[in-house]
Amino acid sequence: MGEKGWQGSGWTFLTNHARVLLTIARDPHIRLREVALVCTLTERTVQAIVADLEEAGYLTRTRAKDGRRNRYTVISSSPFRHPAEAGHEIAELLALLAAPPPPPGKTPPPDDKKP
């Protein structure tokens, strides 16, 4: 699949909210400008998504001591919002997808928990 393959039919498996949350979980000190680049969104859209996530209790934002940067804390015990995922916490999504992917050509370590 090419660089623009994800745009094929106009849908993806994760929402922009999930992508922003995962990006912040990977780097709690990231600037929203960088989140926008990673998620291929506008900075204004990312700001609105972060405000949504804060309001819903999925993350908190604190100001660094220098007053110039923010630090984000993801509340991983928060439940999914949709009834279809009732009983699951976003910690499960974070465990699955928040770790950076392995470098190209490198096989991830085996999962010892599989039978």
Side-chain angles (χ1 to χ4, degrees):
M1 204 179 293
E3 185 175 316
K4 293 190 176 190
W6 63 271
Q7 296 175 338
S9 63
W11 67 272
T12 62
F13 282 103
L14 297 177
T15 66
N16 289 336
H17 282 65
R19 265 187 224 96
V20 167
L21 188 69
L22 287 166
T23 302
I24 289 171
R26 289 180 185 128
D27 181 2
H29 298 281
I30 195 167
R31 294 173 191 248
L32 294 187
R33 180 181 317 116
E34 295 163 347
V35 174
L37 290 171
V38 169
C39 297
T40 64
L41 299 168
T42 65
E43 193 170 344
R44 184 168 175 90
T45 297
V46 170
Q47 290 169 348
I49 289 171
V50 167
D52 287 348
L53 293 170
E54 276 187 289
E55 184 178 322
Y58 288 91
L59 64 84
T60 60
R61 177 182 3 196
T62 54
R63 202 57 131 162
K65 290 181 182 178
D66 67 4
R68 296 179 48 146
R69 303 272 315 237
N70 288 319
R71 183 185 192 292
Y72 300 92
T73 303
V74 174
I75 313 302
S76 59
S77 61
S78 300
F80 279 93
R81 292 170 54 98
H82 196 279
E85 291 87 33
H88 292 278
E89 296 178 348
I90 63 164
E92 297 171 63
L93 177 71
L94 297 173
L96 183 64
L97 297 174
K106 205 153 202 220
T107 307
D111 185 358
D112 293 337
K113 294 180 184 174
K114 290 183 181 176

